[in-house]
Amino acid sequence: MFSEQLIGNLIQGLVLGTIYGMATMGLSLIFGVLKVVNVGHGAFIMVGAFVTLFLFNALGLNPILAIPVAFIIGMALGYLFYYTTIKRLIKAPELATLLATFAIGVLLEEVIKLIFGSEFRGYNWAVGKVSLGITVLPLSKLYACAGSIIIAVLLYLWFNKTRAGSAMRSVVEDSEGARVCGVNVSGTYALSFALGIGLTMASGVLLTMFIPVGINPYMGGGYTLKAFVIAVLGGLASPYGAFFGGLVFGLLENGSYTIFALIPGVEPFALTRFFSFVMLLIILLIRPTGLLSRK
Amino acid sequence: MLQVKDLESGYGSMQVLWKPSLEVKRGTITSLLGPNGAGKSTLLATIFGSVEPWGGKVIYEDRDVTQIPTHKKVDMGIALVPEGKHLFPNMSVYENLSMGAYLKKALVHKEESLELVYSLFPRLRERRNQMAGSLSGGEQQMVTIARGLMTKPKLMMLDEPSQGLAPKLVGEVFETILKMKEEVGLTILLIEQNADASLEAADYVYVMHEGLIKAQGTPAEIKQSADIREAYLGI
Ligand SMILES: Nc1ncnc2c1ncn2[C@@H]1O[C@H](COP(=O)(O)OP(=O)(O)OP(=O)(O)O)[C@@H](O)[C@H]1O
Ligand SMILES: [Mg+2]
């Protein structure tokens, strides 16, 4: 009975974990290329969620179609914020970009609040469920999981099989080396910021497909924190590391939830969060470069 | 082929280049000597464009390229082999070399460039699947030069290519540089700590100190001048 529940939750955790992973790739990409920690990460997830909500409720658009829409809006926002803000701060001490991305996050939250208000919203996309015996999975969650895997694979192929991808990898490895090879380094910086934001906004769509409720302007903070834990799990600078970090995190979160639920008098959900950050601290103590990283 | 006129640049508010001027003639090896901190690397970086010029001019093949971005300069045939290697450590030797042929013009000639590079550095053919980060210092230096060659340059600027190498390897590097001039037909602007070897290989020499060109001449002229040798070269 308990083991069935645990396995059921772990399956849910695996599905959610792929989405978590995908939702952290943008953060890792931006850090890997630009060495900028995007503190406004969760706010972009939130904007992606609102894009989904708006397209679904106002236009009746299938959330799957919201993925490319959010991605393109994200790319555009990424370029906008890169050229207006980040580019000027790239050479300044790290605190400058931390504050700037924090400010961008606040700006996005307040703009969305102005347009949509601050109440919790949701949408109801009835596409059916599949029963796995132990647990029941709505198809929307499976689509989100498949979407995450497809996007991760596409990103992998783009990185490793295209010229633009190899340019970006070379900038990650050594930007001065990339420059003498003829890579347009500043253009690559702009592209990677835009791509990172595009991926993050697309992940906002995927997350609402998994959890279609609780959409509000301030939902991003929790995701920023989770993304930091996941990124550290996977090695901060590697998008694929982030993807696997997401899987591990999803499993641990759901697994520990099941176990904490057994302890009488404990609110398991709160304890799960506590557990995640204890994990972050432990990892930082024993392997500051990340659990799955090479170095 | 390359003229530098009254170039100025620096870092932040600190000026490093105080209007040095020089000329590199086609098909020659021009050597830039001078003590540590003279601004030699800064001069090459400013010619290349990775350090922004504050004033003065860089003329390449009769064209003002002072403000041209680095990726366009590489496309025009200017290569910089930077100080401190700047390889891609988690890519194989072959991938590093391929990155040298990143631009379309160089990509067209990738196979013949590879042949050339492997004939100059046979070791790199053996090591082509090894990660660049795990090579020895000397091998890494070979990859840096080879990657520069892969860009199919006409002018190659080398910043201390023999830095940190054993004396025997230093000799090999200079042999390669001579081959690049004579067999490949490159024009070379070379920074070297190793003044003796550099005077041996060069056709013309500039001596730099505190951001300025303090002396110039043929290697024979520089060697003859005890003043120059004592004041700037310590030989
Ligand atoms: N990235 C940088 N930021 C700030 N200052 C720098 C930077 N690079 C060089 N400098 C300073 O500029 C001056 C000239 O340095 P440069 O590297 O051009 O000298 P160099 O002649 O190449 O010396 P070396 O023989 O040691 O390589 C030095 O005072 C150095 O401290
Ligand atoms: Mg130097």
Side-chain angles (χ1 to χ4, degrees):
Chain A
M1 165 61 199
F2 168 74
S3 68
E4 268 189 18
Q5 198 178 8
L6 183 66
I7 292 169
N9 274 348
L10 286 179
I11 291 172
Q12 298 271 348
L14 201 63
V15 172
L16 181 58
T18 58
I19 305 167
Y20 277 164
M22 156 52 205
T24 309
M25 292 175 94
L27 182 81
S28 295
L29 178 68
I30 289 171
F31 181 79
V33 179
L34 293 140
K35 301 290 175 285
V36 165
V37 177
N38 178 14
V39 187
H41 180 75
F44 286 102
I45 290 181
M46 177 275 294
V47 177
F50 271 90
V51 168
T52 325
L53 187 75
F54 176 77
L55 291 178
F56 187 86
N57 286 345
L59 306 176
L61 205 66
N62 186 323
I64 292 174
L65 295 175
I67 298 172
V69 176
F71 179 77
I72 290 165
I73 296 175
M75 290 276 296
L77 282 178
Y79 272 119
L80 177 75
F81 285 123
Y82 181 80
Y83 281 112
T84 53
T85 316
I86 307 298
K87 184 175 187 202
R88 295 155 202 269
L89 302 173
I90 269 301
K91 285 179 187 149
E94 273 153 23
L95 185 61
T97 49
L98 283 178
L99 291 172
T101 54
F102 180 74
I104 289 170
V106 174
L107 177 79
L108 291 172
E109 285 172 358
E110 296 311 312
V111 168
I112 292 292
K113 191 172 89 177
L114 210 62
I115 303 172
F116 293 95
S118 60
E119 67 269 28
F120 283 55
R121 292 150 170 270
Y123 65 90
N124 190 359
W125 183 34
V127 279
K129 318 173 177 328
V130 281
S131 172
L132 304 174
I134 302 169
T135 187
V136 176
L137 273 174
L139 275 173
S140 57
K141 291 188 180 182
L142 279 183
Y143 292 156
C145 173
S148 299
I149 294 170
I150 290 169
I151 291 170
V153 170
L154 285 178
L155 187 71
Y156 179 83
L157 291 175
W158 184 82
F159 249 101
N160 288 288
K161 303 286 177 209
T162 70
R163 254 178 101 241
S166 69
M168 198 169 283
R169 276 194 300 143
S170 72
V171 173
V172 174
E173 296 251 324
D174 192 310
S175 59
E176 218 32 59
R179 202 188 302 279
V180 301
C181 289
V183 172
N184 180 350
V185 174
S186 58
T188 304
Y189 282 164
L191 174 64
S192 55
F193 195 78
L195 189 60
I197 300 297
L199 287 168
T200 304
M201 279 202 29
S203 77
V205 180
L206 296 163
L207 279 162
T208 67
M209 287 165 74
F210 195 92
I211 311 165
V213 294
I215 300 171
N216 75 93
Y218 302 111
M219 67 188 274
Y223 287 121
T224 304
L225 291 175
K226 282 183 191 179
F228 283 169
V229 180
I230 292 165
V232 168
L233 264 171
L236 203 50
S238 155
Y240 320 114
F243 191 79
F244 290 109
L247 282 182
V248 173
F249 188 84
L251 286 172
L252 283 172
E253 197 183 57
N254 277 268
S256 63
Y257 180 90
T258 322
I259 293 163
F260 291 144
L262 294 177
I263 307 170
V266 156
E267 210 289 282
F269 190 70
L271 209 57
T272 308
R273 279 203 156 185
F274 169 76
F275 177 71
S276 317
F277 295 105
V278 169
M279 228 163 52
L280 174 66
L281 282 179
I282 293 172
I283 297 163
L284 283 175
L285 279 175
I286 54 173
R287 289 211 50 181
T289 54
L291 221 51
L292 303 170
S293 69
R294 268 178 286 199
K295 275 167 227 157
Chain B
M1 171 164 240
L2 177 78
Q3 281 124 358
V4 174
K5 287 182 187 151
D6 300 330
L7 205 56
E8 290 176 272
S9 78
Y11 305 95
S13 60
M14 184 186 78
Q15 183 154 1
V16 173
L17 297 186
W18 298 89
K19 303 194 175 182
S21 298
L22 60 80
E23 182 176 3
V24 178
K25 292 222 163 72
R26 190 180 299 274
T28 63
I29 296 178
T30 303
S31 175
L32 194 57
L33 297 175
N36 294 113
K40 305 180 298 292
S41 298
T42 306
L43 178 55
L44 290 204
T46 311
I47 294 171
F48 184 63
S50 42
V51 170
E52 203 185 316
W54 297 356
K57 272 194 168 36
V58 179
I59 315 279
Y60 171 72
E61 294 192 316
D62 304 320
R63 221 180 120 183
D64 185 344
V65 297
T66 320
Q67 300 296 339
I68 301 249
T70 52
H71 58 279
K72 299 236 169 78
K73 286 207 183 115
V74 175
D75 212 33
M76 294 165 78
I78 302 177
L80 173 66
V81 177
E83 195 174 21
K85 304 192 182 88
H86 294 289
L87 290 177
F88 310 122
N90 296 310
M91 293 189 195
S92 69
V93 168
Y94 176 77
E95 284 176 296
N96 269 272
L97 297 178
S98 299
M99 275 312 297
Y102 168 73
L103 290 177
K104 292 213 172 76
K105 228 190 259 175
L107 191 58
V108 178
H109 300 281
K110 183 175 164 188
E111 289 311 316
E112 64 185 78
S113 299
L114 268 177
E115 276 316 305
L116 168 71
V117 156
Y118 286 149
S119 73
L120 285 172
F121 305 102
R123 273 189 90 75
L124 296 189
R125 194 197 293 272
E126 294 163 29
R127 299 278 152 132
R128 63 180 177 275
N129 294 321
Q130 192 172 329
M131 290 294 138
S134 68
L135 296 172
S136 74
E139 289 165 342
Q140 290 189 2
Q141 195 60 61
M142 290 179 203
V143 179
T144 325
I145 300 173
R147 187 183 62 183
L149 280 171
M150 294 296 295
T151 66
K152 203 97 180 50
K154 295 182 239 172
L155 170 69
M156 194 158 192
M157 304 193 286
L158 295 147
D159 195 341
E160 302 201 26
S162 69
Q163 194 181 37
L165 298 186
K168 180 174 162 284
L169 286 175
V170 174
E172 280 180 27
V173 166
F174 273 93
E175 270 171 41
T176 310
I177 292 171
L178 280 172
K179 271 193 205 162
M180 290 197 299
K181 173 184 125 176
E182 276 151 21
E183 292 170 24
V184 189
L186 294 187
T187 306
I188 288 163
L189 177 54
L190 173 69
I191 298 183
E192 256 305 326
Q193 283 293 329
N194 195 323
D196 282 327
S198 202
L199 287 169
E200 206 60 44
D203 298 297
Y204 202 75
V205 179
Y206 288 89
V207 179
M208 200 171 178
H209 184 56
E210 294 181 342
L212 272 169
I213 300 294
K214 293 281 185 176
Q216 56 178 292
T218 62
E221 285 163 359
I222 300 290
K223 269 190 244 176
Q224 268 161 18
S225 162
D227 289 353
I228 296 176
R229 291 198 339 246
E230 262 169 47
Y232 306 117
L233 305 179
I235 51 174

